[in-house]
Amino acid sequence: MKSFKKRFFIITSILSTLLISFIYKYNISNYNQIAQKKNIALHSYINLPLSFLNDYENIMVFIIILILLILFLVMNNIRLNSVKNNLYKETEFKEIIINTASTLIFILDAEGRIISLNKYAQKETGFKAEEVINKSIYETLIDSKLIKKAKEVFNPHFAKQKVRNRELSILCKNNKQKLISWSISQIVNLNKEIEGILATGIDITKHRQVEAALKYQSLHDSLTGLANREGFSKQFQIEAEIAKHNNEKIAVFFLDIDRFKLINDIHGHQTGDLILLKLSERLQQTLTNREMVARMGGDDFIGILPQIHNHKQDIPEITHRLTKVFDKPFIIKDNKFVLTASIGISFYPDDSIHEETLLRNADTAMYKAKEEAGTSFQLYNDNMNLQVNKKLCLEHSLRRAIKNKELRVYYQPIVDIKTGKIKKAEALVRWEHPKEGLISPGNFIPLAEETGLIVLLGEYVLKEACFQTQAWIDKGYQPIEISVNLSAQQFHKSNLTETVKNILTETRLDPKLLGLEITESLAMENIELTCSILEDFKQMNVKILLDDFGTGYSSLSYLTKFAVDIIKIDRSFISNFHNSSKRSAIVSAIIAMANKLTIRTVAEGVENWEEIKFLNDYKCDEAQGYLFSKPVPAHDFEELLKQNIEFRAQAL
């Protein structure tokens, strides 16, 4: 625009000069000729400068020049209007872009007053333009706590410099805050003086919320909301530094719920998750100050107990609080769950200064605690590692023994009290270790349950027992019934009935000769599921024996629902019961009740003939115990079948 005005001025000046020169020269020449003809002096012309207008030709020249000048001015005016129109369109286009942009755009003066804002900014803040124009942005859109930071962000002198943080929240009309990422540009005049700033902002509230959610998820367990393994690690690093500085100790605990897998298997993972939620709430309520608990995964919890000064004084109080969590049952969907837990504890820096080692040591102590009944805890010591290594070796050997069929099935006779003849046998597994010798079932059965090997072990015993029973029949011996114990994990396997069918088909054993033993407590864990499974076996003609009867917590009314064929009275009632009026009353009542329900009874743990006499008087059907024989290998049991001993003659 400036160069156009300059060019217009120069052209106009040149044309004016040429016009004046032309007129002046023309008139001098013309009047000199007139003066010569009329002998008029030259000076008399000067007094009549406009007299040439009377001349027609001069008038025409003037008019033409005037027309040209007008045309020139018109053309320049047209060009000027075109430029103005283009500028208007460009301005309007910029306004359209600004008002359709999905960013907040503010123009502020040097004092922070709002000169203008786009429609998107009005929409996001809730303020109309007339409500904020000429008002300070610090008074209208900035929280009072953030004004100092806002003045740094919107300071025009910072615009061309790197400001560490240009993220600033604004306060909307509805009092909600939005986090905005700002970009600041200076607005300068022709003299390069700063008049204000152009502030463009992007709403990153949701982005930051997503980031915060992802960060939270990375440090917390999705089910319980407790810290996860990584969250535990970060907190441990902080507590370790504090403990080192203050010369304190930290207790790291590892907590595992006993037999929790059974709850998931029987009642479903949804119920298991609800129990974990309840437990998490209780643990959080019992911990104080900087104490923390995290979920390691599954039913395992880990925690940090800082500010330990004296083991003897601090730990008993802490462990009491942890174990007390399990004093009350967990009520889920009208079901009552009585849980126990095993807790292991290690100490920083006594047992290690490394987090991983401390957790491993606490885990080792926890497994030691599992050897005790009920909720218990153990403090780590170096000897535990030796025991753990031995346990790991035992587990490896057990896996190999199952794979290589190194386990042996022993048989204990069950005798008909009236006839004295062997009517049944219970199959029991024994492990003859090549180096350790005969390993007690009390040592490797819990290990098999803990590691999940109990399912493979149980299937192995079931198949071997069926094979052996059919082999005796094939040799011509009188058929006897064989009973095999089912573990809780086996009982709740979805393919249990199919597995039993396949084994019976493979071994050719008549289903009527097979009995499956389940404990009273196992039967009561899920009544509906138990009834369904037992009914399936009844349809297969497989007998069900309720083992250790009287030691569980079942209601006698459920005996009418369960498809039970035989009740095995626990040895704790049988041992010397004839000398105890209370135990004698219990035994006689169980037998009488079973007879009324047409359920046969077997007395376990019989050790003398006096007990047999009383059992016969009470009308007990069968007996089992060391009185007749301890569990023996297959070839020794076959000898008993050969002899066809009648124990009745000695009993009665």
Side-chain angles (χ1 to χ4, degrees), residues 199-215:
T200 58
I202 300 174
D203 185 355
I204 59 172
T205 307
K206 291 184 178 179
H207 179 69
R208 286 290 180 265
Q209 288 173 346
V210 171
E211 283 185 349
L214 291 174
K215 184 177 180 181

Side-chain angles (χ1 to χ4, degrees), residues 414 424 516-518 520 544-551 554 556 558-560 562-570 573-574 586-587 589-604 620-624:
I414 299 175
K424 300 180 179 67
L516 299 175
E517 295 191 19
I518 62 172
E520 181 185 6
I544 296 297
L545 293 79
L546 198 58
D547 197 14
D548 301 333
F549 188 80
T551 60
S554 67
L556 296 177
Y558 285 110
L559 282 176
T560 60
F562 294 154
V564 174
D565 300 286
I566 299 170
I567 288 175
K568 299 186 75 173
I569 306 171
D570 188 71
F573 297 112
I574 299 300
I586 292 173
V587 171
I590 292 174
I591 295 171
M593 176 193 64
N595 289 335
K596 288 288 185 180
L597 297 174
T598 65
I599 297 175
R600 296 181 66 82
T601 51
V602 175
E604 293 184 292
C620 182
D621 298 299
E622 295 160 347
Q624 174 185 358

Side-chain angles (χ1 to χ4, degrees), residues 228-245:
N228 59 13
R229 179 69 178 80
E230 187 175 347
F232 173 90
S233 182
K234 288 184 178 296
Q235 186 63 28
F236 176 81
Q237 293 171 14
I238 296 171
E239 294 297 345
E241 286 296 322
I242 296 174
K244 183 178 179 181
H245 182 267

